Amino acid sequence: MTAHPVPPDPDSPHPAASSLPSDSPLPSDSPIATDSPLPSDLPLPPVDTLLVVDVQTAFVTGEGAVPDAARLVDRTAGLIARARAAGALVVHLQNDGPPGAEDEPHTPGWELHHRVEPGPTEFVIRKPYDDGFEETTLGAVLDGHGSRAVAVCGVMSEMCVRATARTALDRGYRVVVPYDGHATQDCPAVPGVADAVPAAVVSRVAAYSLGSDAEVTDPAAAVSFTAPSRTIAPFPPGNPVRGSAA
């Protein structure tokens, strides 16, 4: 896609970006100068599905927890509670790490942090890859419920959260990724190549890399829910889609 220059607006209180010296600070009242995401002035339309990505013990408790894990858990808990209250579909994605990993199946770190309420609109889906759709029944569950719009939260921002959100976009879903509803670890420095990158910056870049089709500038508190168009019965025991974390 070719970008076309926009002529300067003579009535604008801010100079065009091209007219600013390269070392000139942005005006203090410029929206670009803010260090927090830019929420929409309009309320978000409700979504019918919540995808809770890898909120597992290893990633939100103990030494391996993401920075400010308590804040993330508070946001994801609020999203889950509101989704349940509205009758929305709630899917907990649970990553199966390789042998020896902190999220190796059936180890303490693999367990889901949030309590699951099994039922026709709440499931656990185990996944072997970053993308929650890859080689899982997530797509079938969303299709079966008539899902049209999903909110994605959890960890890690640039890996499983982004990969799952990207595929949801590619499949035609409306996708909301609340900026305070996902997190990751700091990106370590590479001597002689790059400095360390704070986790908050990694998360923000990961969300913005989804492009303009994803809604990434609103907080978790702005996300509301509605019931999907239809409800299907829980899958039988032993199916990769489960109603508990066992």
Side-chain angles (χ1 to χ4, degrees):
M1 180 180 295
T2 301
H4 300 284
V6 179
D9 180 357
D11 297 323
S12 172
H14 305 305
S18 60
S19 69
L20 290 172
S22 60
D23 59 348
S24 174
L26 287 167
S28 61
D29 58 344
S30 169
I32 302 174
T34 183
D35 58 3
S36 62
L38 307 175
S40 168
D41 293 333
L42 300 175
L44 284 175
V47 299
D48 53 40
T49 300
L50 175 65
L51 303 181
V52 186
V53 181
D54 301 351
V55 182
Q56 295 166 246
T57 302
F59 306 133
V60 295
T61 64
E63 295 182 357
V66 296
D68 206 4
R71 180 173 181 264
L72 173 69
V73 167
D74 176 75
R75 300 300 189 271
T76 53
L79 288 164
I80 293 168
R82 296 200 306 279
R84 286 172 177 158
L89 175 64
V90 178
V91 179
H92 303 263
L93 293 173
Q94 185 175 27
N95 195 66
D96 286 349
E102 55 194 350
D103 57 347
E104 178 183 354
H106 309 297
T107 63
W110 173 77
E111 298 294 339
L112 294 174
H113 182 79
H114 293 299
R115 177 178 54 86
V116 177
E117 294 186 358
T121 58
E122 186 158 350
F123 300 93
V124 176
I125 299 179
R126 293 170 61 176
K127 64 182 185 64
Y129 302 106
D130 285 4
D131 182 358
F133 289 90
E134 187 174 355
E135 296 185 16
T136 74
T137 49
L138 178 59
V141 170
L142 269 58
D143 290 345
H145 285 80
S147 298
R148 293 290 181 268
V150 302
V152 185
C153 65
V155 297
M156 302 290 178
S157 301
E158 77 282 20
M159 292 185 279
C160 299
V161 170
R162 188 195 181 281
T164 301
R166 179 71 262 168
T167 297
L169 285 168
D170 292 343
R171 288 177 173 235
Y173 294 101
R174 175 178 157 241
V175 175
V176 178
V177 185
Y179 68 79
D180 56 349
H182 60 100
T184 191
Q185 301 285 2
D186 296 332
C187 183
V190 179
V193 177
D195 295 333
V197 181
V201 175
V202 178
S203 290
R204 189 173 180 189
V205 171
Y208 273 80
S209 73
L210 290 167
S212 59
D213 289 336
E215 299 167 42
V216 301
T217 62
D218 289 278
V223 180
S224 62
F225 295 90
T226 188
S229 61
R230 54 185 177 270
T231 300
I232 58 177
F235 284 68
N239 192 282
V241 180
R242 307 187 323 283
S244 72

